[in-house]
Amino acid sequence: MILAGFPASIMSAWQQIGRAGRGWDKDAFVLFYSMNDPIDRFFVGNLDAFLDKPFDELVIDPSNEELIDNHLAPLAAETGGEVYPSEESILGGAFYQAARKDTGKVPPNYRPHHRLNMRGGIGRSFVLKRGNEEVGQISALRRFREAYIGAIFTFFGHRYRVHSHEEDAVVLAEAEPNLRTDAGFYTVMTQRDIFEGYGYGDVGVYYGVSDVIMNFTGYKLVDENTGEERGAGGNPDAQSQNNLHTFWISVPRSDDAVAGIGALEHMLRVGAMFVIPADRFDTSTYSKPNDEPSAYYYENYSGGIGVAKKLFEVWQTALAKGIEIAENCDCRLGCQNCIEPAKSYNISNSDIDKVRGIELARELLTMVKNGPDTKFHNGRMVTI
């Protein structure tokens, strides 16, 4: 069985591998072929981490109002518009109460499963087209970040040039294999609300809601063989995401914190993969080195799906795993086998200091091991 590229999660990987045989007494030979992707390269360099990881613990937030609204019509189609008290334990309190108020009007011949996107996600997706051929799909977020007009876009090991955007599609053209595009992005992140929080001296750990504005400033077309810039382009654009559930850590400002916060962000991202069953496209990370250095881990779905809340509960375990992976990698500064992503949208990869990040992360875990001394309550931090 050839696993061409790592799928969305550990559980998905084992499910695909399991298709090679259906009997307990059968063996399968599995070839994992890494694509040009940081997660793929990470597992090539950390194969034991994949093989030894337990199956995912499912995480869900049944109180997400947007998810509930999307499910009211399918529920009505399944139940004929009637829900009963005995079904509250199945639906969850929030969904049950919403269904009691509005079971939804079902259009004639409505079939929910025909409308379900089997690739998952609640955001919009676009078809990838090469001529008249559909070669895949891409989310709206990846379209903005990676498949802007003019981009060199890698898909299943093949490089394309993004020719144009259509209403529901991204049109691809062939590209020279030695070309790449270096895009300019910056992110503005604003905390809207705090649900929970703890203070450990000058360190703060929080779970709440953020709004994100991602700004695209253009790109450079680079010849990888010569390093020569072959062109530039791109119209300034921005994409807003609101009501994103977020986990974040804030540390006191120091030279070490400023230097290490970018690596801390990505150690948290990598470590969380082994603690929380999140599809790698479900979440994003961000770090802010100025003022009060902070590392953020946020969900890409408005209203939340429970991932950030779970990380708030297990962040120390996730960060410890991220430290372990970074320390076991032979690189000096950071690479795609430990902490460095293919693209960082707020800190240059060259500015991610692995050594200072590990030092900051270890110091942070030491500072919090005795427990919090303050807690967020009624809109402010109070002494415990």
Side-chain angles (χ1 to χ4, degrees):
M1 200 284 290
I2 299 176
L3 188 64
F6 185 76
S9 65
I10 296 285
M11 185 176 288
S12 294
W14 281 116
Q15 190 272 337
Q16 292 187 25
I17 290 170
R19 292 178 181 176
R22 297 295 184 186
W24 289 108
D25 59 344
K26 296 179 180 179
D27 295 330
F29 177 78
V30 181
L31 173 64
F32 172 44
Y33 181 85
S34 170
M35 298 300 182
N36 185 24
D37 181 279
I39 301 297
D40 286 18
R41 293 185 180 184
F42 168 81
F43 280 115
V44 167
N46 296 274
L47 191 57
D48 288 343
F50 165 63
L51 295 174
D52 296 339
K53 185 183 184 300
F55 288 129
D56 302 318
E57 173 191 349
L58 296 181
V59 172
I60 188 171
D61 183 4
S63 64
N64 184 323
E65 294 180 358
E66 295 188 23
L67 289 176
I68 288 173
D69 288 342
N70 290 339
H71 283 77
L72 283 173
L75 176 65
E78 290 285 340
T79 63
E82 295 288 339
V83 292
Y84 301 96
S86 61
E87 295 168 327
E88 182 174 2
S89 61
I90 300 171
L91 300 175
F95 192 14
Y96 173 76
Q97 293 299 330
R100 294 281 291 181
K101 293 178 182 178
D102 179 12
T103 54
K105 296 180 180 179
V106 184
N109 300 319
Y110 175 76
R111 295 183 178 182
H113 55 283
H114 287 174
R115 298 168 178 259
L116 178 66
N117 179 4
M118 293 301 293
R119 293 180 179 273
I122 61 176
R124 187 179 178 189
S125 62
F126 297 84
V127 173
L128 293 171
K129 291 172 55 178
R130 183 181 59 190
N132 295 323
E133 179 189 7
E134 293 187 8
V135 297
Q137 289 187 332
I138 190 171
S139 69
L141 183 61
R142 290 192 68 202
R143 175 179 178 264
F144 173 76
R145 286 179 168 179
E146 302 175 33
Y148 46 87
I149 296 176
I152 300 297
F153 178 70
T154 301
F155 189 71
F156 278 91
H158 191 90
R159 292 192 185 189
Y160 299 97
R161 188 81 185 265
V162 177
H163 177 268
S164 61
H165 287 171
E166 297 180 349
E167 182 178 356
D168 296 310
V170 175
V171 180
L172 305 175
E174 293 297 321
E176 296 178 42
N178 56 299
L179 294 182
R180 75 166 192 269
T181 42
D182 293 338
F185 292 91
Y186 69 92
T187 300
V188 178
M189 191 161 191
T190 306
Q191 286 116 39
R192 186 201 296 182
D193 198 6
I194 297 175
F195 297 148
E196 298 180 74
Y198 290 105
Y200 304 82
D202 294 329
V203 173
V205 179
Y206 306 96
Y207 161 57
V209 172
S210 299
D211 296 331
V212 174
I213 300 177
M214 293 170 289
N215 299 274
F216 171 60
T217 60
Y219 68 86
K220 295 179 180 179
L221 184 64
V222 178
D223 188 325
E224 291 183 329
N225 292 338
T226 64
E228 176 186 358
E229 184 178 325
R230 297 263 296 267
N235 295 320
D237 195 8
Q239 185 176 68
S240 297
Q241 292 180 285
N242 299 317
N243 192 23
L244 304 179
H245 285 216
T246 307
F247 165 80
W248 71 95
I249 301 174
S250 297
V251 299
R253 181 178 172 81
S254 67
D255 290 343
D256 289 337
V258 170
I261 197 69
L264 177 70
E265 169 200 340
H266 295 298
M267 281 188 283
L268 191 65
R269 171 185 60 85
V270 169
M273 294 193 322
F274 295 89
V275 181
I276 304 171
D279 183 314
R280 55 174 158 163
F281 301 120
D282 285 343
T283 61
S284 298
T285 58
Y286 171 80
S287 54
K288 182 177 68 175
N290 301 321
D291 301 325
E292 186 179 43
S294 303
Y296 300 84
Y297 179 99
Y298 62 93
E299 302 178 19
N300 291 327
Y301 302 117
S302 179
I305 54 176
V307 178
K309 183 177 182 180
K310 181 65 177 180
L311 185 58
F312 179 73
E313 300 170 0
V314 299
W315 70 270
Q316 295 181 51
T317 303
L319 185 55
K321 186 65 177 180
I323 294 172
E324 175 190 340
I325 291 168
E327 288 186 328
N328 287 339
C329 185
D330 293 332
C331 72
R332 293 182 57 193
L333 296 178
C335 65
Q336 292 181 344
N337 287 342
C338 62
I339 63 172
E340 185 176 304
K343 300 180 179 69
S344 186
Y345 299 103
N346 51 305
I347 295 179
S348 169
N349 285 346
S350 62
D351 293 332
I352 296 177
D353 190 325
K354 172 181 171 177
V355 175
R356 302 283 281 278
I358 291 174
E359 291 174 352
L360 176 62
R362 287 204 171 280
E363 181 181 356
L364 179 61
L365 291 181
T366 299
M367 294 174 68
V368 304
K369 68 179 181 180
N370 293 325
D373 48 35
T374 56
K375 178 181 180 180
F376 187 78
H377 182 69
N378 291 334
R380 62 191 182 93
M381 299 297 286
V382 298
T383 302
I384 296 178

